[in-house]
């Protein structure tokens, strides 16, 4: 484990932290990616954790690829292909296709992009004789997206204003048309998976028992659905390792919720907190 010698004391403390929940608060330039990848290597080489018992999630395919390449360099003589390493959406996609019997979908469901989504919403708005100038499809779709990120179904959408009533009606019809097309949008992938684990204890336990360690990159950019997802997946072993900077959220516009740091501290009151304060930039 020569690479441990190149870490500063705080980084080493994070990488070698024992079992249980860990929150690594990492400022810009403090080496959080290094800590995350070396944590994975440490678990495999020193703790005897099997690669397939590790789940590591991040936000972009580029970050996931870089993380995998770094782990391979650290452990060139070990097979690490079994690690489930990817974006939230790619991991949700794998789980949903395996557990499709619990969903209103077929296993060959398709994923609609933004153009597909806006086309459906626009058609619904026109068919419902809703004024497009007052209720722009992109705006209504944004409200639907935020609701899904908060794990709110169409039937449960809160209505305090007339606009809320419009969104609720469109949301319900939009969802019906997605299901009729055997399709999901990207927000569905998160919501379906989080709710699947919440409402089906046997499914939740299967994955939670498989993953001895759950690692989360850019934790400050998670939304409620993503937080619920990783919390459920870590519910059995409780080895959840989150790295992030509460002051540096770049996805607030996409539903990121800084309160997830507070939720983490409430749900895991025994968590270790490690501060990475040294800036190498």
């Amino acid at each position: 484990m020569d690479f441990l010698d190149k870490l500063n004391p705080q980084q080493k403390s994070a990488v070698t932290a024992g079992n249980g929940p860990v929150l690594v608060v990492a400022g810009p330039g403090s080496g959080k990616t290094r800590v995350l990848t070396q944590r994975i290597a440490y678990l495999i080489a020193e703790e005897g954790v099997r690669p397939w018992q590790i789940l590591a999630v991040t936000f972009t395919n580029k970050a996931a690829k870089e993380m995998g390449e770094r782990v391979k360099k650290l452990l060139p003589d070990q097979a690490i292909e079994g690690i489930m390493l990817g974006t939230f959406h790619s991991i949700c996609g794998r789980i949903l296709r395996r557990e499709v019997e619990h969903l209103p979908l077929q296993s060959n469901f398709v994923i609609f992009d933004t153009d597909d989504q806006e086309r459906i919403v626009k058609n619904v708005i026109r068919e419902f004789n809703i004024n497009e100038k007052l209720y722009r499809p992109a705006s209504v779709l944004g409200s639907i997206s935020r609701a899904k990120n908060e794990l709110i179904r169409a039937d449960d959408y809160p209505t305090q204003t007339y606009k809320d009533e419009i969104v609720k009606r469109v949301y319900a019809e939009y969802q019906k048309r997605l299901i009729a097309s055997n399709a999901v949008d990207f927000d569905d992938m998160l919501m379906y998976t989080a709710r699947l684990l919440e409402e089906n204890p046997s499914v939740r336990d299967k994955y939670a028992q498989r993953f001895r360690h759950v690692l989360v990159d850019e934790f400050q950019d998670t939304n409620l659905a993503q937080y619920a997802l990783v919390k459920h997946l870590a519910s059995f072993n409780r080895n959840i390792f989150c790295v992030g900077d509460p002051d540096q959220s770049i996805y607030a516009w996409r539903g990121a919720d800084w309160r997830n740091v507070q939720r983490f501290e409430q749900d895991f009151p025994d968590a270790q907190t490690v501060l990475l304060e040294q800036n190498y930039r």
Side-chain angles (χ1 to χ4, degrees):
M1 303 296 290
D2 294 342
F3 59 80
L4 291 179
D5 298 333
K6 300 177 182 178
L7 301 176
N8 67 38
Q10 291 78 23
Q11 291 172 333
K12 189 171 182 178
S13 177
V15 169
T16 61
N19 287 337
V22 180
L23 177 62
V24 180
V25 181
S30 60
K32 67 176 183 59
T33 303
R34 169 184 284 188
V35 164
L36 202 60
T37 54
Q38 296 197 8
R39 172 68 171 174
I40 295 172
Y42 176 81
L43 291 172
I44 295 171
E46 285 295 303
E47 298 295 317
V49 179
R50 303 293 187 188
W52 56 269
Q53 295 175 315
I54 296 174
L55 169 68
V57 290
T58 188
F59 276 84
T60 66
N61 290 319
K62 180 181 178 182
K65 182 180 179 182
E66 180 184 352
M67 202 182 301
E69 290 172 348
R70 288 195 183 194
V71 175
K72 285 181 182 178
K73 286 182 180 179
L74 292 170
L75 302 176
D77 300 324
Q78 298 200 40
I80 63 165
E81 286 72 19
I83 299 173
M84 188 176 278
L85 195 163
T87 64
F88 277 96
H89 291 102
S90 68
I91 287 165
C92 286
R94 289 186 232 178
I95 293 174
L96 291 177
R97 292 193 193 279
R98 290 174 184 172
E99 308 298 335
V100 75
E101 66 194 78
H102 301 284
L103 305 173
L105 299 164
Q106 302 298 315
S107 61
N108 61 340
F109 64 80
V110 295
I111 303 168
F112 278 3
D113 61 18
T114 303
D115 289 341
D116 297 320
Q117 294 173 263
E118 289 193 0
R119 174 177 46 80
I120 296 176
V121 169
K122 187 176 289 187
N123 288 340
V124 172
I125 286 174
R126 287 175 178 172
E127 290 174 28
F128 283 5
N129 293 316
I130 296 168
N131 189 327
E132 265 189 74
K133 292 182 180 179
L134 291 178
Y135 304 100
R136 294 181 299 107
S139 176
V140 173
L141 185 59
S143 296
I144 293 171
S145 175
R146 286 189 292 275
K148 290 183 178 184
N149 287 336
E150 292 287 319
L151 299 176
I152 299 171
R153 294 188 175 103
D155 290 346
D156 302 320
Y157 192 86
T159 53
Q160 296 179 328
T161 66
Y162 183 66
K163 180 184 178 182
D164 294 337
E165 294 281 359
I166 295 292
V167 172
K168 182 171 185 172
R169 289 176 58 205
V170 176
Y171 183 1
E173 183 62 24
Y174 168 74
Q175 211 60 25
K176 286 180 184 177
R177 296 189 186 193
L178 282 178
I179 293 170
S181 300
N182 194 35
V184 297
D185 60 26
F186 284 105
D187 297 313
D188 277 331
M189 297 178 76
L190 301 175
M191 186 171 76
Y192 273 136
T193 310
R195 285 198 169 276
L196 170 72
L197 299 175
E198 171 75 32
E199 297 166 2
N200 295 273
S202 62
V203 177
R204 178 178 66 244
D205 291 348
K206 177 172 69 174
Y207 289 97
Q209 290 178 34
R210 170 186 168 177
F211 296 124
R212 283 181 57 190
H213 290 269
V214 176
L215 300 94
V216 186
D217 190 18
E218 305 289 6
F219 181 62
Q220 78 281 351
D221 288 328
T222 54
N223 57 40
L224 179 60
Q226 290 161 331
Y227 175 73
L229 173 67
V230 295
K231 185 181 77 168
H232 289 316
L233 292 174
S235 61
F236 184 79
N237 292 294
R238 297 186 78 255
N239 294 324
I240 181 169
F241 187 92
C242 298
V243 181
D245 180 355
D247 297 325
Q248 294 293 322
S249 177
I250 61 172
Y251 284 122
W253 56 274
R254 196 183 285 180
D257 193 341
W258 60 270
R259 290 173 296 175
N260 283 344
V261 174
Q262 294 180 326
R263 291 186 179 109
F264 181 91
E265 293 170 342
Q266 291 169 359
D267 291 333
F268 302 99
D270 57 330
Q272 303 177 59
T273 300
V274 182
L275 302 179
L276 302 186
E277 300 172 298
Q278 188 168 338
N279 191 325
Y280 288 92
R281 289 180 183 172

